[in-house]
Amino acid sequence: GENVEQHPSTLSVQEGDSAVIKCTYSDSASNYFPWYKQELGKRPQLIIDIRSNVGEKKDQRIAVTLNKTAKHFSLHITETQPEDSAVYFCATTSTGTASKLTFGTGTRLQVTL
Amino acid sequence: DGGITQSPKYLFRKEGQNVTLSCEQNLNHDAMYWYRQDPGQGLRLIYYSQIVNDFQKGDIAEGYSVSREKKESFPLTVTSAQKNPTAFYLCAARGPTPSTDTQYFGPGTRLTVL
């Protein structure tokens, strides 16, 4: 089955700096790549997603890039703010698998003042 | 994702008891999923259902059971056969169309074994 590795497990940045979280996947058939943000004790919330026919997608301070050849995708957060502090999860799925998501193990992002 | 509710928010189970976690959605989505989250880990799939009266095992189905008698409801039973059930349980629904991959999560149920 699919395997997703996520790095780093923890990331501390100063307010205003950029943060980058990377995920690699094993299944070349994967074609959908969402990113979720989870605050302590809360539900994961979708913040951005990308499909395999697109190399990059941006939404204000958040962007996701996909390298299909290398089988990795990354989340980029610019001008970080304290409210960006949370755990971020990447995930993948592929067509024909009932859209079952395989998740990475999460990155705890801490934005310090 | 405000259209997915889970109850109770907290649940305590004694050894040997079966407990049922509720998941309801008013989004009219066909597909629903149950995930388990352990501290410091990602989400793992327990069961999923793509349509009423049909469901499939996920990666960690042992010790769990589900039913899908209505489109809006997908309850999960944690049986006494599940040896380590303490975890955060999340229900998700996918939609709005069958070709949509996006999943939205409910608020979760935190289960603790006493």
Side-chain angles (χ1 to χ4, degrees):
Chain A
E2 173 71 284
N3 182 50
V4 178
E5 294 188 1
Q6 183 171 346
H7 299 282
S9 57
T10 60
L11 179 59
S12 182
V13 299
Q14 285 196 322
E15 184 179 7
D17 288 349
S18 295
V20 180
I21 302 169
K22 298 181 180 179
C23 288
T24 59
Y25 60 97
S26 59
D27 187 354
S28 57
S30 292
N31 59 1
Y32 176 66
F33 307 88
W35 284 90
Y36 288 87
K37 174 184 180 182
Q38 186 178 31
E39 297 178 353
L40 189 63
K42 301 290 181 66
R43 76 185 82 192
Q45 295 202 307
L46 181 72
I47 56 171
I48 196 167
D49 55 9
I50 194 170
R51 300 208 68 92
S52 57
N53 58 348
V54 176
E56 183 174 0
K57 183 177 179 180
K58 190 173 182 180
D59 182 3
Q60 299 183 341
R61 297 187 297 108
I62 294 172
V64 56
T65 59
L66 172 65
N67 184 325
K68 286 172 54 180
T69 303
K71 294 183 192 170
H72 67 71
F73 57 112
S74 300
L75 177 70
H76 304 254
I77 306 174
T78 59
E79 301 173 22
T80 54
Q81 301 168 3
E83 51 264 39
D84 294 329
S85 296
V87 179
Y88 292 81
F89 291 97
C90 63
T92 71
T93 189
S94 57
T95 303
T97 64
S99 296
K100 294 182 292 179
L101 290 174
T102 300
F103 284 83
T105 50
T107 296
R108 182 173 299 278
L109 174 64
Q110 177 96 31
V111 180
T112 58
L113 297 172
Chain B
D1 55 3
I4 305 171
T5 59
Q6 291 185 241
S7 62
K9 185 173 182 179
Y10 298 98
L11 185 58
F12 299 91
R13 192 194 92 169
K14 294 182 180 178
E15 297 273 354
Q17 274 186 337
N18 291 355
V19 292
T20 297
L21 284 60
S22 168
C23 178
E24 303 279 330
Q25 55 111 352
N26 63 4
L27 303 170
N28 201 36
H29 291 349
D30 285 313
M32 298 183 74
Y33 304 78
W34 273 105
Y35 293 89
R36 168 180 172 144
Q37 185 175 31
D38 292 284
Q41 297 190 32
L43 284 68
R44 293 182 290 166
L45 182 64
I46 305 173
Y47 267 98
Y48 63 101
S49 169
Q50 296 191 83
I51 198 168
V52 174
N53 292 323
D54 184 63
F55 49 83
Q56 306 293 331
K57 292 181 180 180
D59 300 319
I60 55 166
E62 185 175 353
Y64 301 97
S65 65
V66 294
S67 63
R68 187 85 187 278
E69 298 176 0
K70 300 185 296 182
K71 188 175 188 178
E72 57 270 24
S73 179
F74 190 38
L76 173 74
T77 297
V78 185
T79 74
S80 57
Q82 171 48 239
K83 297 307 179 188
N84 185 23
T86 295
F88 190 41
Y89 290 87
L90 289 155
C91 175
R94 175 172 62 86
T97 68
S99 61
T100 303
D101 291 308
T102 306
Q103 292 186 27
Y104 298 97
F105 288 88
T109 293
R110 191 167 300 278
L111 173 63
T112 303
V113 173
L114 301 174

